[in-house]
Amino acid sequence: MHETPPPKERRSRKRLTADDWADAALAALAERGLAAVAVEPLATRLGTTKGSFYWHFSNRDALVAAALARWEELSTERIISAMEAAEPDPEARLGALLRAATASAAEDPLEVRLLAASDHPMVAAALARVSERRVGYLAHLFELLGFPPPEARRRGVLAYTSYVGHAQLAHAVPGSVPADPAYLATVTAALLTR
């Protein structure tokens, strides 16, 4: 008796979204910089073809724009929303935000890579938007703590530049910036001193 072999199982492949491509672009950017955002290596990384890329994007610039928008959403808007939902006290929220952002920046090189690519017009524009949003949010927290708007803005800038400097130094000279909570508590306390 001759048995018919079972039909070949189709390899089930998840249909990729534009966000999947943007996330892969951000991962490549974090690992090797903006030059690493290239269609063929990303297709290989995602286990797909260039056709999938062209289904979602007209060219590399469109992917870079989508990746930057994704970074803005994930690294700024979602974090602000989560902080607003999780912590009603502005001082506690400020401390939690500085701790979380500083710890994340020390581990993830994406922000440092983006700063290094600030000569690219799309990256420069995204950095400007994100920086303004973050400084504005920090200033808002300082206003909630009773600082007048101009002083709240100055402290928001100081807090943000402290974060950016911390991130850059943590990647440029590993181990040079304290990672312990006491250090960040001191930074927060200094920002709150009247």
mmCIF file of all heavy atoms in Angstrom, residues 131-176:
data_model
loop_
_atom_site.group_PDB
_atom_site.id
_atom_site.type_symbol
_atom_site.label_atom_id
_atom_site.label_comp_id
_atom_site.label_asym_id
_atom_site.label_seq_id
_atom_site.Cartn_x
_atom_site.Cartn_y
_atom_site.Cartn_z
ATOM 1 N N SER A 131 13.838 66.810 22.698
ATOM 2 C CA SER A 131 14.464 67.612 23.755
ATOM 3 C C SER A 131 13.487 68.659 24.282
ATOM 4 O O SER A 131 13.355 68.836 25.499
ATOM 5 C CB SER A 131 15.739 68.282 23.245
ATOM 6 O OG SER A 131 16.707 67.304 22.930
ATOM 7 N N GLU A 132 12.797 69.329 23.392
ATOM 8 C CA GLU A 132 11.826 70.336 23.819
ATOM 9 C C GLU A 132 10.691 69.705 24.619
ATOM 10 O O GLU A 132 10.264 70.242 25.641
ATOM 11 C CB GLU A 132 11.275 71.105 22.624
ATOM 12 C CG GLU A 132 10.278 72.180 23.017
ATOM 13 C CD GLU A 132 10.774 73.158 24.079
ATOM 14 O OE1 GLU A 132 11.953 73.544 24.041
ATOM 15 O OE2 GLU A 132 9.966 73.539 24.961
ATOM 16 N N ARG A 133 10.208 68.571 24.179
ATOM 17 C CA ARG A 133 9.118 67.895 24.898
ATOM 18 C C ARG A 133 9.571 67.467 26.285
ATOM 19 O O ARG A 133 8.856 67.648 27.283
ATOM 20 C CB ARG A 133 8.631 66.683 24.087
ATOM 21 C CG ARG A 133 7.588 65.834 24.789
ATOM 22 C CD ARG A 133 6.267 66.575 24.903
ATOM 23 N NE ARG A 133 5.219 65.664 25.324
ATOM 24 C CZ ARG A 133 4.521 65.804 26.447
ATOM 25 N NH1 ARG A 133 4.712 66.831 27.248
ATOM 26 N NH2 ARG A 133 3.596 64.919 26.753
ATOM 27 N N ARG A 134 10.764 66.892 26.365
ATOM 28 C CA ARG A 134 11.266 66.423 27.649
ATOM 29 C C ARG A 134 11.557 67.588 28.598
ATOM 30 O O ARG A 134 11.184 67.540 29.772
ATOM 31 C CB ARG A 134 12.516 65.578 27.441
ATOM 32 C CG ARG A 134 12.224 64.235 26.782
ATOM 33 C CD ARG A 134 13.491 63.501 26.438
ATOM 34 N NE ARG A 134 13.221 62.194 25.863
ATOM 35 C CZ ARG A 134 14.174 61.355 25.491
ATOM 36 N NH1 ARG A 134 15.454 61.691 25.621
ATOM 37 N NH2 ARG A 134 13.857 60.179 24.975
ATOM 38 N N VAL A 135 12.216 68.618 28.106
ATOM 39 C CA VAL A 135 12.496 69.789 28.944
ATOM 40 C C VAL A 135 11.177 70.431 29.374
ATOM 41 O O VAL A 135 11.017 70.824 30.538
ATOM 42 C CB VAL A 135 13.408 70.800 28.218
ATOM 43 C CG1 VAL A 135 13.465 72.131 28.957
ATOM 44 C CG2 VAL A 135 14.810 70.228 28.054
ATOM 45 N N GLY A 136 10.229 70.531 28.465
ATOM 46 C CA GLY A 136 8.926 71.096 28.796
ATOM 47 C C GLY A 136 8.223 70.300 29.878
ATOM 48 O O GLY A 136 7.607 70.875 30.786
ATOM 49 N N TYR A 137 8.297 68.977 29.791
ATOM 50 C CA TYR A 137 7.664 68.151 30.815
ATOM 51 C C TYR A 137 8.362 68.320 32.159
ATOM 52 O O TYR A 137 7.704 68.449 33.204
ATOM 53 C CB TYR A 137 7.642 66.677 30.398
ATOM 54 C CG TYR A 137 6.958 65.819 31.426
ATOM 55 C CD1 TYR A 137 5.592 65.949 31.658
ATOM 56 C CD2 TYR A 137 7.675 64.922 32.199
ATOM 57 C CE1 TYR A 137 4.951 65.191 32.624
ATOM 58 C CE2 TYR A 137 7.039 64.157 33.170
ATOM 59 C CZ TYR A 137 5.682 64.296 33.380
ATOM 60 O OH TYR A 137 5.055 63.554 34.347
ATOM 61 N N LEU A 138 9.689 68.324 32.148
ATOM 62 C CA LEU A 138 10.426 68.535 33.397
ATOM 63 C C LEU A 138 10.093 69.903 33.993
ATOM 64 O O LEU A 138 9.877 70.028 35.201
ATOM 65 C CB LEU A 138 11.931 68.397 33.143
ATOM 66 C CG LEU A 138 12.414 66.975 32.848
ATOM 67 C CD1 LEU A 138 13.808 67.001 32.242
ATOM 68 C CD2 LEU A 138 12.376 66.113 34.101
ATOM 69 N N ALA A 139 10.042 70.925 33.144
ATOM 70 C CA ALA A 139 9.685 72.269 33.620
ATOM 71 C C ALA A 139 8.294 72.259 34.240
ATOM 72 O O ALA A 139 8.065 72.878 35.288
ATOM 73 C CB ALA A 139 9.769 73.276 32.474
ATOM 74 N N HIS A 140 7.376 71.537 33.620
ATOM 75 C CA HIS A 140 6.019 71.406 34.161
ATOM 76 C C HIS A 140 6.058 70.806 35.572
ATOM 77 O O HIS A 140 5.370 71.282 36.482
ATOM 78 C CB HIS A 140 5.176 70.539 33.219
ATOM 79 C CG HIS A 140 3.879 70.091 33.782
ATOM 80 N ND1 HIS A 140 2.808 70.939 34.005
ATOM 81 C CD2 HIS A 140 3.480 68.856 34.194
ATOM 82 C CE1 HIS A 140 1.806 70.245 34.518
ATOM 83 N NE2 HIS A 140 2.188 68.988 34.648
ATOM 84 N N LEU A 141 6.871 69.780 35.776
ATOM 85 C CA LEU A 141 6.985 69.174 37.105
ATOM 86 C C LEU A 141 7.538 70.180 38.111
ATOM 87 O O LEU A 141 7.051 70.268 39.247
ATOM 88 C CB LEU A 141 7.867 67.925 37.059
ATOM 89 C CG LEU A 141 7.298 66.720 36.314
ATOM 90 C CD1 LEU A 141 8.302 65.575 36.284
ATOM 91 C CD2 LEU A 141 5.987 66.266 36.930
ATOM 92 N N PHE A 142 8.553 70.936 37.699
ATOM 93 C CA PHE A 142 9.111 71.944 38.603
ATOM 94 C C PHE A 142 8.075 73.031 38.915
ATOM 95 O O PHE A 142 8.016 73.525 40.045
ATOM 96 C CB PHE A 142 10.397 72.541 38.041
ATOM 97 C CG PHE A 142 11.585 71.626 38.173
ATOM 98 C CD1 PHE A 142 12.153 71.029 37.065
ATOM 99 C CD2 PHE A 142 12.140 71.350 39.426
ATOM 100 C CE1 PHE A 142 13.260 70.179 37.187
ATOM 101 C CE2 PHE A 142 13.228 70.503 39.561
ATOM 102 C CZ PHE A 142 13.795 69.910 38.440
ATOM 103 N N GLU A 143 7.259 73.391 37.946
ATOM 104 C CA GLU A 143 6.182 74.361 38.218
ATOM 105 C C GLU A 143 5.191 73.793 39.232
ATOM 106 O O GLU A 143 4.741 74.511 40.134
ATOM 107 C CB GLU A 143 5.455 74.743 36.933
ATOM 108 C CG GLU A 143 6.229 75.724 36.077
ATOM 109 C CD GLU A 143 5.421 76.194 34.881
ATOM 110 O OE1 GLU A 143 4.257 76.611 35.067
ATOM 111 O OE2 GLU A 143 5.962 76.143 33.756
ATOM 112 N N LEU A 144 4.857 72.509 39.084
ATOM 113 C CA LEU A 144 3.954 71.868 40.044
ATOM 114 C C LEU A 144 4.551 71.878 41.452
ATOM 115 O O LEU A 144 3.818 71.852 42.441
ATOM 116 C CB LEU A 144 3.636 70.435 39.627
ATOM 117 C CG LEU A 144 2.781 70.264 38.372
ATOM 118 C CD1 LEU A 144 2.646 68.775 38.022
ATOM 119 C CD2 LEU A 144 1.410 70.907 38.545
ATOM 120 N N LEU A 145 5.873 71.923 41.520
ATOM 121 C CA LEU A 145 6.548 71.956 42.813
ATOM 122 C C LEU A 145 6.710 73.378 43.348
ATOM 123 O O LEU A 145 7.346 73.587 44.375
ATOM 124 C CB LEU A 145 7.915 71.275 42.705
ATOM 125 C CG LEU A 145 7.842 69.765 42.465
ATOM 126 C CD1 LEU A 145 9.187 69.199 42.075
ATOM 127 C CD2 LEU A 145 7.288 69.063 43.697
ATOM 128 N N GLY A 146 6.152 74.353 42.628
ATOM 129 C CA GLY A 146 6.135 75.714 43.132
ATOM 130 C C GLY A 146 7.189 76.648 42.573
ATOM 131 O O GLY A 146 7.278 77.805 42.996
ATOM 132 N N PHE A 147 7.981 76.195 41.625
ATOM 133 C CA PHE A 147 8.974 77.083 41.019
ATOM 134 C C PHE A 147 8.284 77.968 39.989
ATOM 135 O O PHE A 147 7.442 77.489 39.223
ATOM 136 C CB PHE A 147 10.093 76.278 40.348
ATOM 137 C CG PHE A 147 10.978 75.552 41.321
ATOM 138 C CD1 PHE A 147 10.724 74.234 41.675
ATOM 139 C CD2 PHE A 147 12.075 76.191 41.897
ATOM 140 C CE1 PHE A 147 11.535 73.555 42.581
ATOM 141 C CE2 PHE A 147 12.894 75.526 42.801
ATOM 142 C CZ PHE A 147 12.627 74.206 43.144
ATOM 143 N N PRO A 148 8.646 79.269 39.934
ATOM 144 C CA PRO A 148 8.068 80.127 38.899
ATOM 145 C C PRO A 148 8.500 79.647 37.508
ATOM 146 O O PRO A 148 9.572 79.045 37.366
ATOM 147 C CB PRO A 148 8.619 81.516 39.211
ATOM 148 C CG PRO A 148 9.583 81.365 40.322
ATOM 149 C CD PRO A 148 9.557 79.955 40.816
ATOM 150 N N PRO A 149 7.687 79.893 36.471
ATOM 151 C CA PRO A 149 7.969 79.348 35.130
ATOM 152 C C PRO A 149 9.403 79.547 34.621
ATOM 153 O O PRO A 149 10.005 78.571 34.141
ATOM 154 C CB PRO A 149 6.938 80.037 34.240
ATOM 155 C CG PRO A 149 5.776 80.253 35.159
ATOM 156 C CD PRO A 149 6.395 80.597 36.503
ATOM 157 N N PRO A 150 10.011 80.737 34.703
ATOM 158 C CA PRO A 150 11.382 80.841 34.183
ATOM 159 C C PRO A 150 12.373 79.943 34.944
ATOM 160 O O PRO A 150 13.233 79.313 34.338
ATOM 161 C CB PRO A 150 11.746 82.319 34.366
ATOM 162 C CG PRO A 150 10.443 83.033 34.497
ATOM 163 C CD PRO A 150 9.504 82.045 35.121
ATOM 164 N N GLU A 151 12.221 79.875 36.267
ATOM 165 C CA GLU A 151 13.109 79.021 37.070
ATOM 166 C C GLU A 151 12.808 77.545 36.812
ATOM 167 O O GLU A 151 13.720 76.721 36.745
ATOM 168 C CB GLU A 151 12.977 79.345 38.556
ATOM 169 C CG GLU A 151 13.890 78.529 39.451
ATOM 170 C CD GLU A 151 15.379 78.707 39.161
ATOM 171 O OE1 GLU A 151 15.784 79.739 38.570
ATOM 172 O OE2 GLU A 151 16.155 77.800 39.516
ATOM 173 N N ALA A 152 11.545 77.221 36.653
ATOM 174 C CA ALA A 152 11.160 75.838 36.343
ATOM 175 C C ALA A 152 11.789 75.405 35.013
ATOM 176 O O ALA A 152 12.287 74.286 34.886
ATOM 177 C CB ALA A 152 9.647 75.713 36.289
ATOM 178 N N ARG A 153 11.772 76.302 34.043
ATOM 179 C CA ARG A 153 12.386 75.998 32.736
ATOM 180 C C ARG A 153 13.894 75.778 32.884
ATOM 181 O O ARG A 153 14.449 74.836 32.328
ATOM 182 C CB ARG A 153 12.095 77.153 31.762
ATOM 183 C CG ARG A 153 12.757 77.030 30.418
ATOM 184 C CD ARG A 153 12.015 76.112 29.530
ATOM 185 N NE ARG A 153 12.726 75.971 28.274
ATOM 186 C CZ ARG A 153 12.374 75.160 27.328
ATOM 187 N NH1 ARG A 153 11.291 74.430 27.446
ATOM 188 N NH2 ARG A 153 13.064 75.063 26.232
ATOM 189 N N ARG A 154 14.561 76.656 33.646
ATOM 190 C CA ARG A 154 16.013 76.500 33.849
ATOM 191 C C ARG A 154 16.323 75.152 34.506
ATOM 192 O O ARG A 154 17.258 74.465 34.117
ATOM 193 C CB ARG A 154 16.566 77.638 34.701
ATOM 194 C CG ARG A 154 16.825 78.909 33.928
ATOM 195 C CD ARG A 154 17.612 79.930 34.732
ATOM 196 N NE ARG A 154 16.839 80.536 35.817
ATOM 197 C CZ ARG A 154 15.992 81.550 35.665
ATOM 198 N NH1 ARG A 154 15.829 82.093 34.469
ATOM 199 N NH2 ARG A 154 15.335 82.032 36.687
ATOM 200 N N ARG A 155 15.528 74.794 35.480
ATOM 201 C CA ARG A 155 15.756 73.515 36.165
ATOM 202 C C ARG A 155 15.424 72.328 35.257
ATOM 203 O O ARG A 155 16.073 71.285 35.333
ATOM 204 C CB ARG A 155 14.968 73.457 37.463
ATOM 205 C CG ARG A 155 15.598 74.368 38.512
ATOM 206 C CD ARG A 155 14.795 74.431 39.781
ATOM 207 N NE ARG A 155 15.318 75.465 40.649
ATOM 208 C CZ ARG A 155 16.029 75.240 41.751
ATOM 209 N NH1 ARG A 155 16.282 73.999 42.118
ATOM 210 N NH2 ARG A 155 16.462 76.249 42.483
ATOM 211 N N GLY A 156 14.439 72.490 34.401
ATOM 212 C CA GLY A 156 14.138 71.446 33.426
ATOM 213 C C GLY A 156 15.305 71.231 32.473
ATOM 214 O O GLY A 156 15.678 70.094 32.173
ATOM 215 N N VAL A 157 15.901 72.333 32.026
ATOM 216 C CA VAL A 157 17.082 72.234 31.149
ATOM 217 C C VAL A 157 18.236 71.587 31.910
ATOM 218 O O VAL A 157 18.934 70.708 31.379
ATOM 219 C CB VAL A 157 17.489 73.628 30.599
ATOM 220 C CG1 VAL A 157 18.843 73.571 29.910
ATOM 221 C CG2 VAL A 157 16.428 74.152 29.642
ATOM 222 N N LEU A 158 18.445 72.000 33.150
ATOM 223 C CA LEU A 158 19.528 71.427 33.955
ATOM 224 C C LEU A 158 19.326 69.926 34.169
ATOM 225 O O LEU A 158 20.265 69.136 34.025
ATOM 226 C CB LEU A 158 19.629 72.152 35.299
ATOM 227 C CG LEU A 158 20.723 71.666 36.242
ATOM 228 C CD1 LEU A 158 22.103 71.803 35.593
ATOM 229 C CD2 LEU A 158 20.670 72.453 37.550
ATOM 230 N N ALA A 159 18.104 69.532 34.495
ATOM 231 C CA ALA A 159 17.820 68.105 34.681
ATOM 232 C C ALA A 159 18.067 67.326 33.399
ATOM 233 O O ALA A 159 18.656 66.240 33.420
ATOM 234 C CB ALA A 159 16.378 67.916 35.155
ATOM 235 N N TYR A 160 17.642 67.893 32.268
ATOM 236 C CA TYR A 160 17.802 67.186 30.998
ATOM 237 C C TYR A 160 19.272 67.112 30.578
ATOM 238 O O TYR A 160 19.733 66.071 30.118
ATOM 239 C CB TYR A 160 16.952 67.833 29.906
ATOM 240 C CG TYR A 160 16.893 66.994 28.661
ATOM 241 C CD1 TYR A 160 16.362 65.709 28.704
ATOM 242 C CD2 TYR A 160 17.382 67.460 27.453
ATOM 243 C CE1 TYR A 160 16.311 64.909 27.571
ATOM 244 C CE2 TYR A 160 17.333 66.669 26.310
ATOM 245 C CZ TYR A 160 16.799 65.396 26.380
ATOM 246 O OH TYR A 160 16.762 64.606 25.260
ATOM 247 N N THR A 161 20.005 68.195 30.764
ATOM 248 C CA THR A 161 21.426 68.143 30.401
ATOM 249 C C THR A 161 22.189 67.207 31.329
ATOM 250 O O THR A 161 23.148 66.552 30.898
ATOM 251 C CB THR A 161 22.070 69.546 30.399
ATOM 252 O OG1 THR A 161 21.898 70.158 31.671
ATOM 253 C CG2 THR A 161 21.483 70.415 29.309
ATOM 254 N N SER A 162 21.758 67.092 32.572
ATOM 255 C CA SER A 162 22.367 66.123 33.484
ATOM 256 C C SER A 162 22.149 64.703 32.956
ATOM 257 O O SER A 162 23.070 63.888 32.918
ATOM 258 C CB SER A 162 21.759 66.279 34.877
ATOM 259 O OG SER A 162 22.224 65.266 35.736
ATOM 260 N N TYR A 163 20.927 64.435 32.518
ATOM 261 C CA TYR A 163 20.597 63.119 31.945
ATOM 262 C C TYR A 163 21.426 62.831 30.694
ATOM 263 O O TYR A 163 22.019 61.757 30.555
ATOM 264 C CB TYR A 163 19.092 63.065 31.636
ATOM 265 C CG TYR A 163 18.716 62.067 30.579
ATOM 266 C CD1 TYR A 163 18.655 60.712 30.878
ATOM 267 C CD2 TYR A 163 18.436 62.475 29.280
ATOM 268 C CE1 TYR A 163 18.316 59.792 29.900
ATOM 269 C CE2 TYR A 163 18.094 61.558 28.307
ATOM 270 C CZ TYR A 163 18.043 60.221 28.616
ATOM 271 O OH TYR A 163 17.724 59.305 27.651
ATOM 272 N N VAL A 164 21.473 63.801 29.773
ATOM 273 C CA VAL A 164 22.215 63.602 28.523
ATOM 274 C C VAL A 164 23.706 63.402 28.810
ATOM 275 O O VAL A 164 24.343 62.511 28.249
ATOM 276 C CB VAL A 164 21.986 64.780 27.548
ATOM 277 C CG1 VAL A 164 22.931 64.708 26.356
ATOM 278 C CG2 VAL A 164 20.544 64.790 27.059
ATOM 279 N N GLY A 165 24.250 64.233 29.685
ATOM 280 C CA GLY A 165 25.662 64.083 30.045
ATOM 281 C C GLY A 165 25.937 62.747 30.701
ATOM 282 O O GLY A 165 26.960 62.105 30.419
ATOM 283 N N HIS A 166 25.043 62.322 31.567
ATOM 284 C CA HIS A 166 25.182 61.027 32.225
ATOM 285 C C HIS A 166 25.216 59.905 31.177
ATOM 286 O O HIS A 166 26.074 59.021 31.234
ATOM 287 C CB HIS A 166 24.023 60.813 33.202
ATOM 288 C CG HIS A 166 24.153 59.598 34.050
ATOM 289 N ND1 HIS A 166 24.544 59.629 35.350
ATOM 290 C CD2 HIS A 166 23.942 58.287 33.763
ATOM 291 C CE1 HIS A 166 24.567 58.405 35.846
ATOM 292 N NE2 HIS A 166 24.198 57.573 34.899
ATOM 293 N N ALA A 167 24.281 59.972 30.239
ATOM 294 C CA ALA A 167 24.209 58.937 29.196
ATOM 295 C C ALA A 167 25.491 58.911 28.360
ATOM 296 O O ALA A 167 26.059 57.846 28.112
ATOM 297 C CB ALA A 167 23.005 59.182 28.301
ATOM 298 N N GLN A 168 25.945 60.084 27.938
ATOM 299 C CA GLN A 168 27.145 60.122 27.096
ATOM 300 C C GLN A 168 28.371 59.627 27.846
ATOM 301 O O GLN A 168 29.156 58.850 27.312
ATOM 302 C CB GLN A 168 27.363 61.529 26.560
ATOM 303 C CG GLN A 168 26.354 61.897 25.505
ATOM 304 C CD GLN A 168 26.670 63.224 24.847
ATOM 305 O OE1 GLN A 168 27.013 64.201 25.506
ATOM 306 N NE2 GLN A 168 26.551 63.255 23.535
ATOM 307 N N LEU A 169 28.538 60.069 29.072
ATOM 308 C CA LEU A 169 29.711 59.653 29.842
ATOM 309 C C LEU A 169 29.651 58.172 30.180
ATOM 310 O O LEU A 169 30.673 57.477 30.135
ATOM 311 C CB LEU A 169 29.824 60.497 31.114
ATOM 312 C CG LEU A 169 31.138 60.408 31.873
ATOM 313 C CD1 LEU A 169 32.321 60.750 30.959
ATOM 314 C CD2 LEU A 169 31.119 61.353 33.065
ATOM 315 N N ALA A 170 28.465 57.659 30.484
ATOM 316 C CA ALA A 170 28.320 56.235 30.797
ATOM 317 C C ALA A 170 28.750 55.359 29.627
ATOM 318 O O ALA A 170 29.301 54.275 29.825
ATOM 319 C CB ALA A 170 26.883 55.923 31.194
ATOM 320 N N HIS A 171 28.524 55.827 28.396
ATOM 321 C CA HIS A 171 28.922 55.040 27.222
ATOM 322 C C HIS A 171 30.360 55.313 26.793
ATOM 323 O O HIS A 171 31.044 54.414 26.329
ATOM 324 C CB HIS A 171 27.949 55.276 26.062
ATOM 325 C CG HIS A 171 26.623 54.652 26.305
ATOM 326 N ND1 HIS A 171 26.381 53.312 26.134
ATOM 327 C CD2 HIS A 171 25.463 55.176 26.767
ATOM 328 C CE1 HIS A 171 25.138 53.035 26.465
ATOM 329 N NE2 HIS A 171 24.567 54.154 26.855
ATOM 330 N N ALA A 172 30.792 56.548 26.954
ATOM 331 C CA ALA A 172 32.159 56.896 26.535
ATOM 332 C C ALA A 172 33.202 56.343 27.495
ATOM 333 O O ALA A 172 34.269 55.886 27.065
ATOM 334 C CB ALA A 172 32.306 58.415 26.427
ATOM 335 N N VAL A 173 32.895 56.387 28.792
ATOM 336 C CA VAL A 173 33.835 55.927 29.812
ATOM 337 C C VAL A 173 33.058 55.044 30.801
ATOM 338 O O VAL A 173 32.644 55.516 31.866
ATOM 339 C CB VAL A 173 34.496 57.122 30.558
ATOM 340 C CG1 VAL A 173 35.580 56.632 31.507
ATOM 341 C CG2 VAL A 173 35.041 58.147 29.589
ATOM 342 N N PRO A 174 32.823 53.793 30.420
ATOM 343 C CA PRO A 174 32.032 52.914 31.294
ATOM 344 C C PRO A 174 32.596 52.870 32.714
ATOM 345 O O PRO A 174 33.801 52.832 32.926
ATOM 346 C CB PRO A 174 32.142 51.541 30.612
ATOM 347 C CG PRO A 174 32.410 51.872 29.173
ATOM 348 C CD PRO A 174 33.257 53.117 29.202
ATOM 349 N N GLY A 175 31.692 52.928 33.673
ATOM 350 C CA GLY A 175 32.084 52.870 35.073
ATOM 351 C C GLY A 175 32.433 54.224 35.677
ATOM 352 O O GLY A 175 32.698 54.322 36.873
ATOM 353 N N SER A 176 32.419 55.272 34.860
ATOM 354 C CA SER A 176 32.820 56.588 35.363
ATOM 355 C C SER A 176 31.703 57.323 36.088
ATOM 356 O O SER A 176 31.961 58.231 36.871
ATOM 357 C CB SER A 176 33.331 57.464 34.214
ATOM 358 O OG SER A 176 32.284 57.711 33.294
#
